[in-house]
Amino acid sequence: MQPIIEGKPLLGATYLGEERTRFLVWAPFRQQVEVHLVAPEERIVAMDAVGGGYFRAVIDGVEPGAKYLYRLDGDVERPDPASRLQPESVHGPSAVVARDMDWESPPFGGLPLRDYVIYELHVGTFTEEGTFDAAIEKLDHLVQLGVTAVEVMPVAEFPGHRNWGYDGVHPFAVETSYGGPQSLKSFIRACHERDLAVVLDVVYNHLGPEGNYLHDYGPYFTDKYQTPWGMAVNFDGDGSDEVRRYFLQNAAQWIDEFHVDALRLDAVHAIYDDTPLTFLEELRIMVAERERRHNRRIHLIAETHANDPRLVASPERGGIGMDSHWSDDFHHAVHTLITGEEQDYYCDYGSLEHLTRCLRDGYSYTGQHSKFRGRRHGLPPRGIRGERFVVCVQNHDQVGNRPQGRRLSELASFEQQKLAACALLCSPFVPLLFMGEEYGELARFPYFISHGDPDLVEAVREGRRAEFPSLTAGEEPPDPASEETFRSAKLDWSRPHQTPHSRLLALYRELIRLRKNLEPLRQLRREQSEVSSFADARALAIR
Amino acid sequence: MQPIIEGKPLLGATYLGEERTRFLVWAPFRQQVEVHLVAPEERIVAMDAVGGGYFRAVIDGVEPGAKYLYRLDGDVERPDPASRLQPESVHGPSAVVARDMDWESPPFGGLPLRDYVIYELHVGTFTEEGTFDAAIEKLDHLVQLGVTAVEVMPVAEFPGHRNWGYDGVHPFAVETSYGGPQSLKSFIRACHERDLAVVLDVVYNHLGPEGNYLHDYGPYFTDKYQTPWGMAVNFDGDGSDEVRRYFLQNAAQWIDEFHVDALRLDAVHAIYDDTPLTFLEELRIMVAERERRHNRRIHLIAETHANDPRLVASPERGGIGMDSHWSDDFHHAVHTLITGEEQDYYCDYGSLEHLTRCLRDGYSYTGQHSKFRGRRHGLPPRGIRGERFVVCVQNHDQVGNRPQGRRLSELASFEQQKLAACALLCSPFVPLLFMGEEYGELARFPYFISHGDPDLVEAVREGRRAEFPSLTAGEEPPDPASEETFRSAKLDWSRPHQTPHSRLLALYRELIRLRKNLEPLRQLRREQSEVSSFADARALAIR
């Protein structure tokens, strides 16, 4: 079966050249849709209903830079669901952006997954300026560190100028405050020039709570399933083919036009889909086709806490066929051994045996009873290679989803940080570092937002307080809506040069160098390695 | 992984002999549970909390026939979730019933699926008396007809005395008005004496709306998913291992103690479960173990409208491994060709091509767009043998879920009924007949209930009216709560002897005889048969 997008025209505004732009939108809830051009000169142009709930118009005299809204049934005006730029953030008009597919980009064929050493960064806090352009300046630091892939937290336009990125509501638009689509391309070019692969974090399981106007257009959501973020995206109900087309075209945009090397799919356990050919499988088929077409390696990496080997099993074995997936157990096992914490999901970890099992089996939980979940958890990932697991000792979630956003640098001794680095970089899995981890950054990474809706802001504040009942005794979490909270999360680039940070950085560099050069560490032959633990000595050996 | 029930004691009241009975209940919502014996003499006995939310008591002086309720936290009294008999229907006390595993049953090793010709019957309307005992009297008719398996619509205790069975709320208790557990055993013995396999219809996706007290005991349900019948059964959340244990023990009861040969799993598309080892897979593992233990064939047949080959694909190919599943398309294709109807889901059928595709591919929809569903539907079931599809031209749902419950005998001409019979019995799938179909029964099969709650009764009445907006113009559906509606559904056993009914019966007999004796019809080699359709002639050939 061909993915639903093949041969279909692109959604949104597509500049055709010669001052002509085509507009295409799926709006099955509407009888009539018009393009309301608001700049540079105002015009209203009726669109043709072209069947299946689609509306289309090709308009002369519209060039990149033009701003527009869709007028729905002559009444409400909304930004384009497939907007490629929101110059005035989420509520304002959309802008026409040329699709430059062949921008000057160095030849880069991607990397095999087993060579990935991922560095996760948040554009807004990675640098003082919080832009792609500023991030480019730091890439040489990453090259010296030795990581091979940069994972960029979500860049879809979100409300305000401060957000982790998971509140994005314009999946096709690159956040204006980061520099917009052209800056993202410059950043990707700069990465590829340095042989760094780029992993983009994309959110296909929900949209943010402010500025989500998809409800006005069509059945993008369903009340059949409840996610932690409200209604689930409609991947299996009436209209779901068109919803899939929307998200598949989104994935294709990053691959075809932005040349990203991998997509990190946020929380796939919240993508509910009971059809025989799931959205994730269709995405895999589409990506495989593009790997052939572009002749470069492209990977799909699923974030999940399901411990479900089927996600990465091959389609021939009935699997979904993702290239890799997260093994959260690794983080929890290391974190609890170091910190002794046992709140929330950490209650399921804490002994050397959990880390041993994870290193040996891929997960700590392969069917054992989980106290936190109140049921058995996981299945043994038999025959699944090491590169199909992504592990970390810190990431934005594990650091940020604590009341104060403390990193391991505050929670653990220097020696413990070194031990964590060794565990991570000697593991037979794909390691992921969280920006600043490599030199023991002390800046916290608390949760921050800048929504415009005061009620929503208050709800978020309340939510954060309520989230940490066991940890917040005497510790009020910082105000997520305050600019200061955001600013406090920025990396301090003077630290890598200071002791003891420089010593930790040297260790990370050396470990990554060893990992690249020592054949046993390079191969990720999970099932050929032997893991022994010595509980009395609190020691563990991999060979 | 071992299924969660292996090695675990049975839930409910288990008579241990020597006037001792063990009571075991899972009630994690409760601090304290007592057994309130109400007959033959009243007593209250405290249960021990034995961990994991379970409460247990072994009580002397309690024999089969004793009636009891559980008293929860010294407050509310409820029947046993695993009650094996509800002498006073759903709300009353439960009764202790001996587990006679080795009742006098003829040796019967089951049948291979490809030899199944299924006859679906509803105990309450199959005979005038509406009991298992009366149904036994009709088995010789089935033997003469030639069917090889009797599928019994659900027998779990339901409110009142009239119900299709899908409102059952005591999954372990055999409906008292049908004769209770001993009568079911007699019925199964009588079937096995005649070499008829017994398929039991079990409902694991919901409980009925009246008398469901499971909410008082523990998290049997979840609001994470919405089913057409309300909250979904909790097969994947906190406590779901114990919910699985409950339903797995239920399946085991029918197999181990009642010796049924197959389970027909109602509406598996409404069994939501996102764990790596789903409930259905655990059920399959359990049944496979019992096939070995009992040395007889036991089958799992999934009712579904998902057109999802994964349900019946082998575990080695990543499938769920059900032995067979429904292909509803067959019914719809035949029904629309004969009646020309196009309301509701019939809008997706109506041409010979739909039947041709179904005969050739297993489903009519293997990824084509479905107007009714508003999306593509199905996947090609490559390499799936014919016995893994169950098809019909009538069943309780297709007949009963019409405003008047009309059968094909009213909707089609005599010649058309003959044609439908040929299509059914020459198909390379497992055929299912609905009781009375074989002789063109004219009694309708409307929806009927006898709930005790007047508000619920009114809601059901309203619901039925609302369900058929396109068909009910001028046709008020019969009152589901009226006894007359129920009585009108009873088969008229004088008909098989009358013309033209006797002629249709003779045809069914002959077709079944041919099917059993002609090798090409016997083999169900779906992928070796060739299907040609001739639209102009309105003809179709299989060879």
Side-chain angles (χ1 to χ4, degrees):
Chain A
M1 195 185 288
Q2 281 284 309
I4 192 81
I5 67 165
E6 297 307 338
K8 299 277 178 68
L10 293 171
L11 298 165
T14 302
Y15 182 62
L16 304 173
E18 298 182 344
E19 297 182 26
R20 298 175 78 215
T21 298
R22 184 188 65 216
F23 295 84
L24 182 65
V25 65
W26 184 59
F29 288 171
R30 300 296 173 169
Q31 301 303 309
Q32 190 203 359
V33 182
E34 295 157 299
V35 181
H36 181 182
L37 292 156
V38 295
E41 52 190 290
E42 190 163 350
R43 258 200 295 171
I44 292 181
V45 182
M47 302 180 80
D48 297 322
V50 292
Y54 284 92
F55 294 83
R56 182 180 181 278
V58 176
I59 311 181
D60 282 318
V62 177
E63 289 187 291
K67 294 184 189 177
Y68 65 103
L69 291 157
Y70 287 130
R71 178 175 287 193
L72 307 175
D73 288 337
D75 180 14
V76 291
E77 303 213 333
R78 296 291 182 236
D80 186 349
S83 167
R84 292 163 42 74
L85 185 64
Q86 290 291 117
E88 299 159 33
S89 198
V90 298
H91 306 289
S94 306
V96 177
V97 178
R99 284 177 210 276
D100 181 4
M101 312 298 267
D102 303 314
W103 45 286
E104 195 193 319
S105 165
F108 182 73
L111 297 174
L113 255 179
R114 68 166 185 275
D115 291 345
Y116 268 52
V117 177
I118 303 174
Y119 188 90
E120 184 191 32
L121 67 82
H122 173 261
V123 176
T125 53
F126 184 54
T127 61
E128 185 57 28
E129 300 83 350
T131 62
F132 293 117
D133 286 351
I136 292 171
E137 304 296 311
K138 302 298 179 194
L139 290 179
D140 289 334
H141 165 81
L142 302 190
V143 171
Q144 286 156 28
L145 173 58
V147 297
T148 59
V150 178
E151 179 169 310
V152 182
M153 284 170 66
V155 301
E157 187 74 25
F158 51 71
H161 300 308
R162 308 183 301 272
N163 199 283
W164 281 12
Y166 301 95
D167 294 325
V169 287
H170 289 282
F172 292 80
V174 179
E175 170 65 17
T176 308
S177 66
Y178 289 174
Q182 290 308 324
S183 293
L184 175 55
K185 285 179 181 170
S186 302
F187 176 79
I188 292 170
R189 179 195 298 126
C191 287
H192 286 175
E193 282 168 354
R194 290 162 178 82
D195 290 327
L196 290 170
V198 177
V199 186
L200 186 64
D201 190 345
V202 291
V203 185
Y204 293 155
N205 59 74
H206 74 283
L207 260 72
E210 178 174 333
N212 172 8
Y213 295 114
L214 298 187
H215 298 278
D216 292 318
Y217 286 92
Y220 286 85
F221 299 91
T222 174
D223 56 7
K224 199 164 114 182
Y225 313 106
Q226 284 300 313
T227 82
W229 309 281
M231 282 169 78
V233 174
N234 173 25
F235 283 116
D236 61 8
D238 196 337
S240 56
D241 284 351
E242 307 311 326
V243 177
R244 290 185 183 202
R245 175 176 171 182
Y246 177 82
F247 285 105
L248 289 171
Q249 281 202 357
N250 182 268
Q253 167 180 292
W254 304 122
I255 294 168
D256 295 345
E257 185 183 342
F258 286 83
H259 307 181
V260 305
D261 303 289
L263 296 173
R264 180 264 196 196
L265 307 169
D266 183 61
V268 298
H269 45 265
I271 295 179
Y272 289 103
D273 183 347
D274 68 5
T275 61
L277 184 73
T278 60
F279 167 71
L280 289 181
E281 288 167 292
E282 246 185 307
L283 180 58
R284 178 201 76 224
I285 292 167
M286 185 204 81
V287 166
E289 191 280 326
R290 274 159 170 76
E291 276 202 298
R292 287 188 293 271
R293 188 195 305 176
H294 299 313
N295 191 28
R296 55 186 173 94
R297 292 188 180 87
I298 309 168
H299 304 297
L300 290 171
I301 303 172
E303 188 224 348
T304 173
H305 53 50
N307 288 14
D308 187 349
R310 187 168 177 254
L311 263 174
V312 287
S314 69
E316 295 72 37
R317 289 174 59 198
I320 300 290
M322 297 291 101
D323 295 293
S324 194
H325 74 323
W326 286 35
S327 174
D328 263 5
D329 286 354
F330 185 86
H331 171 272
H332 303 340
V334 171
H335 183 90
T336 52
L337 275 176
I338 288 180
T339 65
E341 288 180 6
E342 44 190 37
Q343 73 279 11
D344 304 326
Y345 46 78
Y346 293 143
C347 71
D348 279 335
Y349 306 86
S351 88
L352 202 60
E353 182 60 19
H354 292 110
L355 183 56
T356 307
R357 287 206 312 244
C358 185
L359 283 165
R360 193 183 54 210
D361 302 334
Y363 315 128
S364 306
Y365 283 83
T366 57
Q368 294 86 351
H369 185 267
S370 150
K371 200 168 130 192
F372 176 71
R373 291 167 194 273
R375 59 166 171 80
R376 290 162 303 163
H377 178 45
L379 260 193
R382 294 207 180 88
I384 304 288
R385 296 198 305 271
E387 70 217 54
R388 305 225 179 276
F389 301 81
V390 174
V391 299
C392 71
V393 292
Q394 303 188 58
N395 67 27
H396 75 273
D397 262 328
Q398 300 303 337
V399 171
N401 285 327
R402 305 174 58 88
Q404 307 291 332
R406 283 194 175 94
R407 293 162 173 267
L408 215 49
S409 54
E410 279 196 82
L411 302 172
S413 70
F414 189 71
E415 296 304 313
Q416 286 173 324
Q417 289 176 68
K418 284 161 60 181
L419 200 58
C422 291
L424 175 69
L425 291 162
C426 296
S427 77
F429 309 121
V430 172
L432 176 145
L433 283 66
F434 180 53
M435 61 177 197
E437 167 186 333
E438 72 277 18
Y439 61 84
E441 174 60 64
L442 289 162
R444 297 171 181 179
F445 192 74
Y447 187 68
F448 46 81
I449 54 156
S450 52
H451 297 328
D453 175 351
D455 290 344
L456 181 59
V457 168
E458 198 41 52
V460 171
R461 280 191 187 119
E462 275 307 310
R464 295 307 287 188
R465 277 190 211 111
E467 200 163 319
F468 310 109
S470 55
L471 273 185
T472 45
E475 263 202 309
E476 180 79 0
D479 178 5
S482 141
E483 177 153 12
E484 178 46 34
T485 302
F486 168 69
R487 295 203 57 78
S488 75
K490 287 185 183 276
L491 299 191
D492 177 350
W493 285 99
S494 67
R495 286 210 177 94
H497 309 291
Q498 299 164 4
T499 311
H501 302 288
S502 55
R503 282 167 45 212
L504 188 61
L505 179 57
L507 176 69
Y508 267 93
R509 278 186 189 153
E510 181 61 16
L511 284 168
I512 294 173
R513 197 188 61 78
L514 279 174
R515 187 180 173 89
K516 286 177 173 171
N517 292 302
L518 287 181
E519 207 55 24
L521 289 180
R522 256 176 66 84
Q523 288 297 328
L524 309 194
R525 295 246 173 89
R526 189 174 67 80
E527 295 192 329
Q528 288 174 25
S529 61
E530 189 184 311
V531 184
S532 325
S533 72
F534 309 93
D536 292 345
R538 292 181 61 84
L540 183 150
I542 313 178
R543 64 174 186 189
Chain B
M1 194 185 288
Q2 281 285 309
I4 191 81
I5 66 164
E6 297 308 336
K8 298 277 179 68
L10 293 170
L11 297 165
T14 301
Y15 183 59
L16 304 173
E18 298 181 345
E19 295 181 28
R20 298 174 78 216
T21 298
R22 183 188 66 217
F23 295 84
L24 181 66
V25 65
W26 184 58
F29 287 172
R30 301 296 173 168
Q31 301 304 309
Q32 190 203 358
V33 183
E34 293 157 301
V35 182
H36 181 182
L37 292 156
V38 293
E41 53 193 286
E42 191 162 349
R43 256 199 295 172
I44 294 181
V45 182
M47 302 180 81
D48 296 323
V50 292
Y54 285 92
F55 293 84
R56 182 180 181 277
V58 176
I59 311 182
D60 282 317
V62 178
E63 289 188 289
K67 294 182 188 178
Y68 66 101
L69 292 157
Y70 288 129
R71 178 175 287 192
L72 308 174
D73 288 337
D75 180 14
V76 292
E77 302 214 332
R78 296 291 184 236
D80 185 349
S83 167
R84 293 164 41 75
L85 184 65
Q86 289 292 114
E88 300 158 33
S89 198
V90 299
H91 304 290
S94 306
V96 177
V97 178
R99 285 177 209 276
D100 181 5
M101 312 299 267
D102 304 313
W103 44 286
E104 196 193 322
S105 166
F108 181 73
L111 297 173
L113 255 178
R114 67 167 184 275
D115 290 345
Y116 268 53
V117 178
I118 303 175
Y119 187 89
E120 185 191 31
L121 67 82
H122 174 260
V123 177
T125 53
F126 184 53
T127 61
E128 185 57 29
E129 300 83 350
T131 61
F132 292 118
D133 286 351
I136 292 172
E137 304 296 311
K138 303 298 179 194
L139 291 180
D140 289 333
H141 166 82
L142 302 191
V143 171
Q144 285 154 27
L145 173 58
V147 297
T148 59
V150 178
E151 180 169 310
V152 182
M153 285 171 65
V155 300
E157 186 75 25
F158 51 71
H161 301 307
R162 308 182 301 271
N163 200 283
W164 283 11
Y166 301 95
D167 293 326
V169 287
H170 289 282
F172 291 81
V174 179
E175 170 64 18
T176 307
S177 66
Y178 290 174
Q182 289 309 324
S183 293
L184 175 54
K185 285 180 183 171
S186 302
F187 176 80
I188 293 171
R189 179 194 299 129
C191 288
H192 286 175
E193 282 167 355
R194 290 162 178 83
D195 289 328
L196 292 169
V198 177
V199 186
L200 186 65
D201 190 346
V202 290
V203 185
Y204 294 156
N205 59 75
H206 75 282
L207 260 71
E210 178 176 333
N212 172 6
Y213 295 113
L214 297 188
H215 297 279
D216 292 318
Y217 286 92
Y220 286 85
F221 299 91
T222 174
D223 55 7
K224 200 164 116 183
Y225 313 107
Q226 284 299 314
T227 82
W229 309 281
M231 282 170 79
V233 174
N234 172 25
F235 283 116
D236 61 8
D238 196 336
S240 55
D241 283 350
E242 306 311 326
V243 176
R244 289 184 183 203
R245 175 175 171 182
Y246 178 81
F247 285 106
L248 289 171
Q249 282 203 354
N250 183 267
Q253 167 179 292
W254 304 123
I255 294 167
D256 295 345
E257 183 184 342
F258 285 84
H259 307 180
V260 305
D261 304 289
L263 296 174
R264 180 262 196 198
L265 306 169
D266 183 60
V268 299
H269 44 265
I271 294 180
Y272 290 104
D273 184 347
D274 68 3
T275 60
L277 184 72
T278 60
F279 167 70
L280 290 181
E281 288 167 291
E282 248 187 302
L283 180 59
R284 180 201 75 223
I285 293 168
M286 185 203 80
V287 166
E289 192 279 325
R290 274 158 172 77
E291 277 201 299
R292 287 188 294 272
R293 188 195 304 177
H294 299 312
N295 191 29
R296 56 187 174 93
R297 292 188 180 86
I298 308 168
H299 304 298
L300 289 171
I301 304 172
E303 188 223 350
T304 173
H305 52 51
N307 288 13
D308 187 349
R310 188 168 176 255
L311 262 175
V312 287
S314 69
E316 295 72 38
R317 290 174 60 197
I320 299 290
M322 297 291 101
D323 295 293
S324 193
H325 74 324
W326 287 35
S327 174
D328 263 4
D329 286 354
F330 185 86
H331 171 272
H332 304 338
V334 171
H335 183 89
T336 51
L337 275 176
I338 287 181
T339 64
E341 288 181 6
E342 43 192 36
Q343 73 278 11
D344 304 326
Y345 45 79
Y346 292 142
C347 71
D348 280 335
Y349 306 85
S351 89
L352 202 59
E353 181 60 19
H354 293 108
L355 183 56
T356 307
R357 287 207 311 246
C358 185
L359 283 165
R360 195 183 52 211
D361 301 335
Y363 315 127
S364 306
Y365 282 83
T366 56
Q368 294 86 351
H369 186 266
S370 150
K371 201 167 130 192
F372 176 71
R373 291 166 194 273
R375 58 166 171 80
R376 290 162 303 164
H377 178 44
L379 260 194
R382 293 207 181 88
I384 304 288
R385 297 198 304 270
E387 70 217 53
R388 306 226 179 276
F389 301 81
V390 174
V391 300
C392 69
V393 293
Q394 303 187 59
N395 66 27
H396 76 273
D397 262 328
Q398 300 303 338
V399 171
N401 285 327
R402 305 174 59 88
Q404 307 292 333
R406 285 195 175 92
R407 293 163 173 266
L408 216 49
S409 54
E410 279 196 83
L411 302 171
S413 71
F414 190 71
E415 296 305 312
Q416 286 172 324
Q417 288 177 68
K418 285 160 60 182
L419 200 58
C422 290
L424 176 69
L425 291 163
C426 296
S427 76
F429 309 121
V430 172
L432 176 145
L433 284 65
F434 180 52
M435 60 177 197
E437 166 186 335
E438 71 279 17
Y439 61 84
E441 175 59 64
L442 288 162
R444 296 172 181 179
F445 193 74
Y447 188 69
F448 47 80
I449 54 155
S450 53
H451 296 329
D453 175 350
D455 290 346
L456 181 60
V457 169
E458 198 41 51
V460 171
R461 280 190 186 119
E462 275 308 309
R464 296 306 288 187
R465 278 191 210 108
E467 199 164 320
F468 310 109
S470 55
L471 273 185
T472 45
E475 264 204 307
E476 180 78 3
D479 179 3
S482 142
E483 177 153 10
E484 178 46 35
T485 303
F486 168 69
R487 296 205 56 80
S488 76
K490 287 185 184 275
L491 300 192
D492 178 349
W493 285 100
S494 67
R495 287 210 177 91
H497 309 292
Q498 299 164 5
T499 311
H501 302 289
S502 56
R503 281 167 45 211
L504 189 61
L505 180 57
L507 176 69
Y508 267 92
R509 278 187 191 153
E510 182 60 15
L511 285 168
I512 293 172
R513 197 187 62 77
L514 281 174
R515 187 180 173 90
K516 285 178 173 170
N517 293 302
L518 287 181
E519 207 54 25
L521 290 180
R522 256 176 66 86
Q523 287 299 325
L524 311 195
R525 295 247 174 87
R526 190 174 69 78
E527 294 192 329
Q528 288 175 25
S529 60
E530 190 183 310
V531 184
S532 325
S533 72
F534 309 94
D536 293 344
R538 293 180 62 85
L540 183 150
I542 313 177
R543 64 173 185 187

